[in-house]
């Protein structure tokens, strides 16, 4: 990592430097996941031989009925396991949604970047925003990016790095800021998003085990979520400005992968200004089209059965298409206005260039998809989650300590099972009824789950985009590796988890409303 600090380093900075040094000694991420695949195969055979299993109640995702299930460790070295290893190679990769999302997002982002739109927008943001406010703006937008599901990983994180570079700050600090905002606060937003509909539905299924008439709505956590967004924006910005940026020091462009950076300039040229006007016209035209596809009654992008637009609807389920089209249309129209990207052939060339640059990432995702599929097949994560939740359930403690313990357990399990919906399908029928019997409203249990499920996303190797962030970092520092990202994200993960849990505890103690 490139720094220019001359002042003595603090104990924390020396500790993080040590974490980075050790972390960067590990092999290439592909080799790491190949080793992890070997460990999972051996561990599944050993645990399977001992008959490790657990019984529990869960919510059936299809029928939403509570059912009793039993999960045992499945070996990858018996007949069925070997068949799975052999036959699932391609299906594992094809079902790994991160690949499709990344390619779709890069189709639009490649055009926007090649035309110069991204650089012009960042420079415009830098010009109109006070320098002190840039960190807060990026953190706030990064948290809100979860409305577009995983697209925030592919769009906001690299943009944050470019924005920091544009104001003369270390771009790795911008990447860390973006990653913390997008991943570490993924379950909260100021808007209702598709994930909320699923989590609320599972919560209601579990609550009816105690009270058949009890239910909560989509906005049941809206006040806590809004407060969390504001609170975490401040926390993330504080960590970035007071801990990450001082540790990184001044950026030295000669250490970047391409040996230099583009001079951003202090003002926009006339061609760039004209390009931005054209991009605005393109954006308005695209939005008009989508308004016609969404607002009228019976519009094709509404839910055909209920007519709803927000929640389970074609519009929300396919939001990545809108993100792609926004960048594609605005990038091309900017290129026409600025004279950088005029013809369809040039647009196709820009897309091809962006896809070619993803070759290494796609191969990494191929290996990662196998690891995730094998780990899921063995049920190791599920058995561990249920064992920890059973121990917490058996503990004879009060409601608030139990809620905090629940947050801790969810955070630990999030290192192994990153899917928010899959974990809640297991935890909801256990903890919602248990805490309701102790006088805790189901809204509070769902809010606690949101807190526990988010911060660890920024550090778990099972996050499909962790390796992608390593690739983003290498654009600015060719020596950056896994240890670099881990050392950057540790302060965010620890402080966000502790302070957000404290906010939850205070909110609960004061009896504040969780939502509508």
């Amino acid at each position: 990592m490139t720094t220019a600090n001359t002042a003595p380093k603090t104990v924390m900075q020396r500790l993080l430097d040590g974490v980075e040094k050790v972390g960067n000694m590990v092999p290439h991420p592909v080799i790491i996941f190949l080793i992890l695949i070997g460990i999972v195969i051996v561990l599944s055979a050993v645990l399977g031989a001992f008959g490790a299993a657990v019984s529990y109640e869960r919510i059936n995702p299809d029928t939403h009925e509570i059912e009793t299930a039993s999960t045992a460790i499945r070996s990858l070295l018996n007949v069925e396991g070997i068949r799975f290893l052999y036959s699932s190679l391609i299906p594992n990769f094809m079902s790994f949604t991160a690949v499709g999302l990344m390619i779709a997002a890069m189709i639009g982002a490649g055009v926007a970047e090649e035309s110069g739109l991204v650089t012009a927008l960042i420079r415009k943001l830098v010009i109109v925003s006070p320098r002190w406010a840039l960190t807060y703006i990026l953190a706030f937008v990064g948290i809100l990016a979860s409305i577009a599901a995983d697209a925030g990983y592919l769009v906001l994180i690299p943009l944050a790095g470019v924005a920091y570079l544009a104001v003369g700050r270390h771009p790795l600090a911008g990447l860390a800021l973006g990653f913390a905002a997008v991943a570490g606060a993924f379950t909260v937003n100021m808007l209702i998003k598709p994930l909320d509909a699923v989590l609320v539905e599972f919560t209601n299924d579990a609550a009816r085990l105690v009270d058949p008439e009890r239910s909560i709505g989509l906005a049941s956590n809206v006040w806590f979520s809004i407060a969390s967004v504001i609170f975490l924006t401040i926390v993330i910005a504080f960590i970035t400005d007071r801990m990450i940026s001082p540790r990184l020091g001044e950026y030295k462009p000669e250490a970047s992968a391409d040996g230099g950076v583009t001079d951003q300039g202090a003002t926009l040229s006339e061609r760039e200004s004209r390009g931005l006007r054209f991009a605005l016209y393109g954006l308005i035209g695209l939005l008009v089209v989508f308004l016609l596809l969404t607002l009228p009654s019976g519009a094709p992008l509404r839910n055909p059965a209920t007519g709803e637009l927000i929640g389970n609807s074609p519009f929300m389920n396919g939001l990545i298409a809108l993100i792609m089209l926004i960048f594609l249309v605005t990038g091309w129209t900017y290129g026409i206005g600025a004279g950088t990207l005029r013809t369809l052939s040039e647009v196709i060339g820009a897309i091809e260039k962006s896809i070619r640059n993803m070759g290494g990432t796609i191969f990494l995702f191929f290996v990662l998809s196998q690891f995730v599929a094998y780990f899921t097949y063995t049920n190791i994560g599920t058995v561990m989650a249920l064992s920890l939740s059973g121990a917490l359930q058996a503990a004879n403690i009060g409601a608030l300590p139990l809620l905090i313990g629940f947050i801790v357990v969810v955070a630990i399990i999030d290192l192994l099972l990153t899917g928010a919906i899959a974990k809640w399908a297991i935890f909801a029928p256990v903890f919602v009824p248990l805490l309701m019997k102790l006088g805790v409203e189901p809204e509070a249990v769902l809010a606690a789950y949101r807190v526990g499920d988010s911060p660890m996303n920024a550090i778990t190797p099972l996050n499909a985009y962790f390796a992608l962030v390593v690739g983003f970092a290498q654009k600015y520092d060719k020596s950056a590796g896994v240890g670099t990202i881990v050392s950057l994200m540790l302060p965010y993960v620890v402080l966000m988890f502790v302070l957000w849990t404290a906010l939850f505890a205070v909110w609960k103690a004061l009896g504040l409303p969780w939502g509508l």
Side-chain angles (χ1 to χ4, degrees):
M1 183 184 300
T2 313
T3 77
N5 287 335
T6 56
K9 293 186 176 182
T10 65
V11 174
M12 177 59 69
Q13 288 175 336
R14 291 197 298 270
L15 174 62
L16 294 176
D17 286 346
V19 170
E20 178 185 4
K21 183 177 180 180
V22 172
N24 284 344
M25 292 171 63
V26 301
H28 189 282
V30 169
I31 298 176
I32 293 175
F33 282 106
L34 288 175
I35 294 172
L36 289 175
I37 287 173
I39 292 174
V40 167
I41 291 174
V42 173
L43 191 59
S44 70
V46 173
L47 294 177
F50 282 97
V54 64
S55 297
Y56 60 100
E57 288 187 333
R58 69 169 186 176
I59 299 172
N60 187 304
D62 298 321
T63 65
H64 297 284
E65 298 291 334
I66 304 298
E67 61 183 19
T68 300
S70 178
T71 297
I73 299 296
R74 302 170 70 184
S75 174
L76 285 165
L77 290 181
N78 58 17
V79 173
E80 291 184 359
I82 293 173
R83 287 172 181 165
F84 177 79
L85 288 173
Y86 177 77
S87 63
S88 67
L89 191 69
I90 301 304
N92 292 342
F93 182 58
M94 297 300 292
S95 62
F96 198 59
T97 56
V99 178
L101 286 170
M102 180 184 68
I103 293 176
M106 290 307 296
I107 288 174
V111 174
E113 183 175 1
E114 189 69 15
S115 68
L117 172 63
V118 173
T119 301
L121 282 176
I122 293 298
R123 289 170 62 190
K124 185 69 173 180
L125 175 64
V126 170
I127 291 170
V128 302
S129 302
R131 185 182 177 89
W132 65 267
L134 182 63
T135 300
Y136 293 88
I137 293 172
L138 291 172
F140 180 72
V141 174
I143 295 174
L144 295 187
S146 64
I147 190 68
D150 291 352
Y153 287 99
L154 305 167
V155 177
L156 191 281
I157 295 175
L159 287 183
V162 174
Y164 260 46
L165 181 62
V167 295
R169 300 181 64 175
H170 205 298
L172 291 189
L175 292 179
L177 158 69
F179 195 20
V182 173
F186 190 78
T187 54
V188 291
N189 207 294
M190 288 189 167
L191 304 171
I192 303 298
K193 54 185 183 177
L195 176 64
D196 295 320
V198 180
L199 296 182
V200 166
E201 195 166 13
F202 282 6
T203 304
N204 286 332
D205 291 336
R208 293 186 187 109
L209 292 175
V210 177
D211 182 355
E213 303 300 322
R214 188 70 165 92
S215 65
I216 62 176
L218 275 176
S220 58
N221 278 166
V222 67
W223 300 134
F224 180 72
S225 291
I226 291 174
S228 295
V229 170
I230 297 171
F231 179 76
L232 292 175
T233 296
I234 296 172
V235 170
I236 291 170
F238 177 85
I239 295 171
T240 304
D241 289 340
R242 299 298 180 89
M243 300 180 66
I244 304 303
S245 290
R247 174 172 173 255
L248 290 171
E250 182 183 354
Y251 179 56
K252 295 180 179 179
E254 63 270 17
S256 65
D258 56 8
V261 294
T262 302
D263 181 13
Q264 300 296 325
T267 60
L268 292 174
S269 68
E270 177 57 34
R271 289 203 315 169
E272 289 172 322
S273 297
R274 184 172 63 252
L276 287 178
R277 288 196 301 271
F278 275 55
L280 177 61
Y281 302 150
L283 177 62
I284 292 173
L286 180 64
L287 292 180
V288 168
V289 171
F290 269 84
L291 288 175
L292 295 175
L293 293 174
T294 55
L295 290 186
S297 176
L301 296 187
R302 287 182 173 272
N303 186 301
T306 65
E308 66 179 359
L309 180 63
I310 305 299
N312 183 21
S313 68
F315 173 70
M316 295 303 295
N317 293 335
L319 205 54
I320 185 65
L322 175 59
I323 300 296
M324 179 191 71
L325 287 173
I326 286 176
F327 280 96
L328 182 62
V329 171
T330 56
W332 191 3
T333 51
Y334 174 89
I336 294 173
T340 57
L341 208 65
R342 293 183 179 275
T343 68
L344 182 59
S345 295
E346 291 175 328
V347 172
I348 294 174
I351 295 173
E352 291 175 342
K353 180 179 177 180
S354 67
I355 299 298
R356 281 197 303 269
N357 292 337
M358 294 192 302
T361 302
I362 291 175
F363 174 60
L364 172 61
F365 277 9
F366 176 80
V367 177
L368 177 57
S369 67
Q370 308 307 317
F371 170 70
V372 172
Y374 299 161
F375 187 81
T376 302
Y377 175 88
T378 62
N379 292 325
I380 292 174
T382 303
V383 170
M384 183 176 179
L386 291 166
S387 299
L388 283 175
S389 64
L392 182 60
Q393 182 182 9
N396 188 19
I397 56 179
L400 184 55
L402 184 57
L403 279 168
I404 294 175
F406 172 59
I407 292 174
V408 173
V409 168
V410 172
I412 294 172
I413 295 304
D414 194 46
L415 291 171
L416 301 175
L417 296 175
T418 57
I421 294 174
K423 287 198 300 293
W424 192 229
I426 295 172
F427 283 132
V430 175
F431 286 100
V432 172
L434 172 65
L435 286 158
M436 284 180 67
K437 292 175 183 177
L438 295 176
V440 178
E441 59 272 40
E443 295 94 329
V445 189
L446 179 55
Y449 180 72
R450 295 180 190 274
V451 175
D453 185 59
S454 293
M456 293 298 178
N457 291 334
I459 204 169
T460 173
L462 287 178
N463 184 336
Y465 300 102
F466 184 90
L468 190 64
V469 176
V470 175
F472 291 151
Q474 290 173 345
K475 177 180 178 180
Y476 303 107
D477 186 347
K478 58 187 177 182
S479 65
V482 172
T484 303
I485 302 305
V486 170
S487 66
L488 287 174
M489 302 315 300
L490 268 177
Y492 292 106
V493 171
V494 173
L495 289 178
M496 287 177 67
F497 179 76
V498 172
L499 296 177
W500 198 5
T501 302
L503 173 66
F504 173 86
V506 171
W507 196 284
K508 174 61 180 172
L510 294 177
L512 298 176
W514 301 99
L516 298 174

